[in-house]
Amino acid sequence: MSEGEVAQDPVRFALLGPLRAWRGETELDLGRPQRRALLALLLAGAGRTVSMEGLIDGLWSQDPPESAANVVHRHVGAVRRLLEPGLPTRAAGRWLLRGAGGYRLEVDADSLDLLRFRSLRDAARQAAEEGAAGRAVALILEALALWQGPAAAGIAPAVRDRPAFASLDREHLAAVKESADLALSAGLAEPVLPGLRAAAAGSPLDEPLLSRLVLVLAATGHRSEALEVYEGARARLADELGISPGAELLAARAAAGRTAPPTTARASNQAGVPVGGPGGGRAGRPADHGPPGSAGFAAPSPAQLPPDLPVFTGRRAELAEVLARLPGEARTASTVLISAIGGMAGIGKTTLAVHWAHRVRDRFPDGQLYVNLRGFDPTGPAMSPGEAVRGFLVALGVPPQHIPNGVDDQAALYRSLLAGRRVLVLLDNALSTDQVRPLLPGSPDCLTIVTSRNQLQGLLAAYGAHALSLRPLDVDDARELLARRLGDGRVASAPGAVAEIAERCAGLPLALACVAARAALRPDVPLSVVAEELRESRGGLDVFAGGEVSTDVGAVFSWSYRAVPPASARLFRLLGLQAGPDVSAEAAASLAGLPVREARPLLAELAQVQLISEHAPGRYVLHDLLRAYSQELARAEEPERERRAAVHRLLDHYVHAAHAADLLLAPHLDPIPPTPPRPGAVLESFPDRERALAWLTAEYPALLPAVEDAARNGFDSHACRLAWALEAFFDRRGHWHDWAAAQRTALRCALRTAEPGMEARALRALARVEGRLGRHDEARAHLERALRLFTELGDDIGRGNTHRSLGWTADQQGDLRAALRHNQEALELLRAADDRPAWASVLASVGWYHALLGEFDVALSHCRAALPVLREHGDRYGEAAAWHTVGYVHQQAGRHPGAVSAYRDALTVYRELGAPYMEAQTLTDLGDVHSALGDAESAEHAWRQALALLNGLGHPDARKVGERLTASGRAPQD
């Protein structure tokens, strides 16, 4: 092989542990320490360019020699030749490339273990989001297995202490915590325990890590050790830091104290899925929740800041003032910097706060949190503190099922997660100090920025916040803003007109931007004419009466509004009627009663004159002032019946689209069909589940307030149907607190409709989410009320599905006899209603409960009767589960040949469905039967297949299968 061919061999690098590299199958000698350090710094960049300054700082940290750059160049050349022997001296090479002001290594997940680790970690998160809990655990464990020690172990300590490597160590620790969260959620805690123990030994004061260790130890039956870990942590925190355990560690200790030893999953059906959740006919959705606040959580680094302006104009003095207020090294341990930026509407508070946050975000490597508290939203009430803090907890990695119920407990958990971290928190559009207080972190390393039109005296007095009140832009700043948009020449030629425009706009950036947008569309019109038009314009914006904003601002908006064609003006009036933070083109078209192809050009015209903004492709937003102006225009120019018809069309759009999406997410549910839509409502369809999920994700911020808006405006039926159609999405995304709020609204609306059937469905849906939140007593009360209503209505399907829900609730509370009884009631009701698919599903569930109770003959007869119906209606998972029950019954009764046959039938279907855990469970049982028959070879073959699957999933059952192989004299193979 020639040297040229050798140079093309693939190169692989290992950074997660000792620094190593291979070309092909040959490990490379990386040479002198400084050359190894240079390679480690480039690898830590993970394919990004590392600047020359960064390389020099990393290699020397202090007092680099004058020849430092030349030394770096020589090392780069040496590394290139090491990776590609025979490379000419000045050739660029394939792997180590020159970038903008530095160098980068061309690596991907196949050539660098760090990128492979990140890819697997991201895949684990995706799997968890999709409900594949076992696969998520297997993937995160595979990712962690790549770590063979601290990143870049073995390089010079002075280099190893640089921030690039400290950041990687934090990334590893976060993944260890995340593995615990995933494992606890999936009920697969055993495989993550060794990694947690090792990590905790190296970080004995990390409370979130120790909390997870306590929970995992308790979940795996090591309750005494869990309590010992807590006591040791408590003593170290007191001795070394002089503090008590935080809320998260206290919650873990409380959970460990009440945790029973792990048991088999006898309260689930043979498919490992709860038998009929409290949603009635929506069986098959997992109920993998624990007590609120009972688990530790990974704390990812959120990045929630809105985008910064491409060009920020003016505000130099204010920006310098807020930048000077950043916490320095001399801050006291009790200081939390809060900068309260106040001022009138439209004056640029949010723009300045977001720009400042982007300027300083690098100082807060643990993330940035942002929320619009909607303190002055004209369409509805301000965001509650509970809603805001729950959003932050989810962003910080808390599984929704572990978010406490009360705001005080939620805030305590939020502060615990931020303890010791450097996070920037931007609270935008706050109404009051009470709204802000639960969202303030307790860590001295965090920065909180608050914007409000109010002065928030309580914030200043109680927390020592630094206040900054923004004033209107002066003429110079206004001139600069206009020049940025219209050009220096056009602005410089009309100084008097510019001064008048600034005065007419009251110095408000929002009004100036509207003027600039329209003037830019007419480049031949002198600014003196623009000023004259503004002078003659009359806005009459009554919402600003009382001196908050000059009424001339209303004239500016009126001037822009009157410039657009009548169809665009009508759409602008109607846009203020929708309650969400933004609106899609399809929703806007529904408001106007237009086809989407006609609405899009109108939206573009409004965006051109800055009356709306397209903040994301196809999604539009109005500033609060412009929304208020839009609403005033609608009240003045649109008759009441037209406004109500527009809202009706919008709600029809949301209900019909959500219903279509829900049918794809949960095809076997018992839906509430939408009523026929009004003419002009845009109806959306989705070709597949992925498109449906994408629509729900994009529209979710608008759909949730739409439920409340429907209730507020008397569209009670729409509120009920929309809340019901969102149920699958709420559940799968874990938006359980939002789900509960929506269902309470739906129940209130259902009671107003005086329709018992709607009330019964709302009660059953509310019971479902209460079950998710662990409120089984409340769930049972609502289900019993729903059952009475369905009985009075003579609705056997509703009664049957409610009995299934009651059975699930009894199952969760450990009462198998009650679970069986409720499922038997459901079976008879669904048989009478001739709902054969649901009847067959319940029949198999009844069979499973009989099998668990040792009543084998009746279990077998039920499953055999269910199987042909399940096949007929395409319920493949139900079919496999029924075959598994048949195998289980034969096995327990000693009829081993029948068990082998049934298990093989189940195995065939599970493999077709791609259900590895159930495939492994069936293989384990099949191996047991072969062993009982004396067929040691077939038993070993089945067990080894099961072991491979369980190891791949990181499932604790792998240990039990390994013990079977060892006991049979056929020890597991490495």
Side-chain angles (χ1 to χ4, degrees), residues 37-53:
L38 173 83
L39 180 59
L41 287 165
L42 291 169
L43 290 172
R48 299 188 302 273
T49 298
V50 182
S51 69
M52 178 61 74
E53 292 78 10

Side-chain angles (χ1 to χ4, degrees), residues 169-523:
D169 290 342
R170 288 196 299 272
E171 194 171 345
H172 173 246
L173 199 58
V176 173
K177 297 172 185 175
E178 191 168 0
S179 73
D181 300 334
L182 293 172
L184 287 164
S185 178
L188 309 174
E190 189 77 38
V192 304
L193 186 53
L196 269 176
R197 281 185 170 128
S203 301
L205 297 175
D206 187 328
E207 287 191 66
L209 178 65
L210 294 167
S211 300
R212 290 164 172 81
L213 178 56
V214 168
L215 290 161
V216 169
L217 285 167
T220 53
H222 304 285
R223 183 169 172 272
S224 297
E225 185 181 350
L227 299 178
E228 289 172 6
V229 168
Y230 168 81
E231 288 300 327
R234 183 193 58 76
R236 284 192 301 276
L237 290 168
D239 293 342
E240 299 183 34
L241 301 180
I243 62 174
S244 300
E248 188 177 0
L249 190 54
L250 288 170
R253 193 260 178 250
R258 62 176 177 264
T259 298
T263 61
T264 59
R266 60 108 192 97
S268 296
N269 64 12
Q270 65 273 31
V273 178
V275 182
R282 300 179 171 220
R285 297 175 183 175
D288 49 346
H289 61 80
S294 68
F297 332 102
S301 297
Q304 295 185 326
L305 291 180
D308 195 7
L309 284 180
V311 179
F312 184 85
T313 304
R315 300 295 189 198
R316 293 181 181 82
E318 292 93 339
L319 190 59
E321 183 178 349
V322 292
L323 287 171
R325 291 175 175 172
L326 280 175
E329 296 302 323
R331 65 183 180 275
T332 64
S334 62
T335 300
V336 178
L337 179 69
I338 304 168
S339 184
I341 300 175
M344 65 183 67
I347 203 163
K349 300 180 297 296
T350 297
T351 300
L352 176 63
V354 169
H355 180 67
W356 177 27
H358 278 280
R359 287 278 299 270
V360 302
R361 66 179 180 179
D362 289 345
R363 305 191 191 188
F364 300 92
D366 294 318
Q368 307 90 43
L369 295 167
Y370 170 85
V371 65
N372 180 358
L373 294 171
R374 304 195 303 266
F376 306 90
D377 191 328
T379 64
M383 180 182 290
S384 69
E387 182 182 352
V389 76
R390 287 195 298 273
F392 282 172
L393 289 172
V394 170
L396 290 167
V398 180
Q401 65 268 33
H402 296 309
I403 294 177
N405 291 324
V407 175
D408 290 342
D409 290 338
Q410 292 165 359
L413 177 57
Y414 164 68
R415 287 190 294 271
S416 296
L417 290 174
L418 294 190
R421 305 183 75 204
R422 302 187 66 185
V423 174
L424 185 153
V425 182
L426 175 48
L427 309 175
D428 199 14
N429 289 318
L431 179 65
S432 65
T433 301
D434 288 341
Q435 188 189 27
V436 167
R437 188 177 290 110
L439 306 174
L440 300 178
S443 170
D445 295 312
C446 292
L447 166 67
T448 308
I449 307 171
V450 184
T451 76
S452 178
R453 295 182 200 173
N454 296 332
Q455 293 187 354
L456 303 185
Q457 292 293 340
L459 194 66
L460 304 177
Y463 297 96
H466 301 281
L468 175 67
S469 294
L470 297 188
R471 297 174 295 278
L473 297 179
D474 58 24
V475 173
D476 290 338
D477 281 343
R479 182 182 296 109
E480 182 181 352
L481 186 152
L482 293 172
R484 291 276 191 177
R485 290 161 172 78
L486 302 176
D488 291 334
R490 191 176 179 189
V491 170
S493 66
V498 169
E500 184 174 357
I501 290 171
E503 180 182 356
R504 296 289 175 190
C505 292
L508 294 186
L510 174 64
L512 285 162
C514 288
V515 172
R518 187 180 169 201
L521 295 174
R522 304 185 297 165

